[in-house]
Amino acid sequence: MTPLRRVLLARPHAFIVNEMRPFLVTAGFAPVRIDGLHQLDQEIRTPAQGAIISTAVTSSLGADAATVFRKIRESNASLPVVFAGMADLATMEAVVMRAVRDLQPEARAVGPAGFRLARPQDRASTFLILRKEDLQQGAMQEAAISAIRMLFS
């Protein structure tokens, strides 16, 4: 059996903890919940496959998605990042692009169905968007698992 690989739940929200954790375990990852910016600073120093940032308005972390993304990029410029939320895909794309545009002007944000990496170095500038319905069992979940494994490999 392949050992589980660490994924930081960098901006947890109830959706991230309740829905994303079992999804990540199924996909072969070990989710690590971050409960504060100090813990994020510590955990980002330990090797991880990637990070997941909730786009929810509120989070137990006390910082918005753009701030959390900035902190991750300051510590690890190449760490792959997934954004997760409950909004429709078009809204999520707009939220993600606002959060990353200052640090990643060449960014792409896509859902699991359209997720592709042209080159391995695109992992830092291609952001996977996962929504609650992407995690439900069936074809959407399979596409989401494939996309997150591709990004976090």
Side-chain angles (χ1 to χ4, degrees):
M1 179 174 179
T2 305
L4 293 176
R5 299 162 296 172
R6 293 176 77 243
V7 171
L8 304 178
L9 300 178
R11 186 174 183 266
H13 180 267
F15 160 68
I16 296 296
V17 175
N18 297 333
E19 304 286 336
M20 189 65 68
R21 184 172 289 203
F23 166 80
L24 288 169
V25 170
T26 297
F29 298 100
V32 176
R33 180 185 169 132
I34 305 298
D35 289 316
L37 291 176
H38 177 72
Q39 183 186 3
L40 177 61
D41 289 338
Q42 297 299 316
E43 292 291 342
I44 200 74
R45 294 181 188 145
T46 303
Q49 296 300 120
I52 298 178
I53 299 173
S54 168
T55 60
V57 174
T58 62
S59 168
S60 60
L61 203 64
D64 65 10
T67 301
V68 172
F69 178 73
R70 189 174 314 108
K71 288 194 80 53
I72 289 170
R73 280 296 178 258
E74 287 170 358
S75 297
N76 187 337
S78 62
L79 188 70
V81 174
V82 169
F83 287 88
M86 307 273 283
D88 62 84
L89 188 58
T91 301
M92 289 286 297
E93 287 173 355
V95 168
V96 170
M97 296 309 289
R98 274 194 308 274
V100 305
R101 70 177 164 217
D102 291 340
L103 297 173
Q104 305 270 179
E106 74 291 351
R108 282 185 340 120
V110 295
F115 189 82
R116 304 286 179 273
L117 290 173
R119 307 166 303 166
Q121 57 266 39
D122 292 339
R123 281 186 178 83
S125 61
T126 303
F127 301 98
L128 175 61
I129 295 170
L130 291 179
R131 297 168 304 126
K132 186 173 183 168
E133 54 265 28
D134 295 325
L135 308 183
Q136 305 304 312
Q137 287 192 349
M140 292 181 79
Q141 184 187 57
E142 290 302 317
I145 287 173
S146 176
I148 203 166
R149 284 178 177 164
M150 186 183 316
L151 182 63
F152 286 173
S153 65

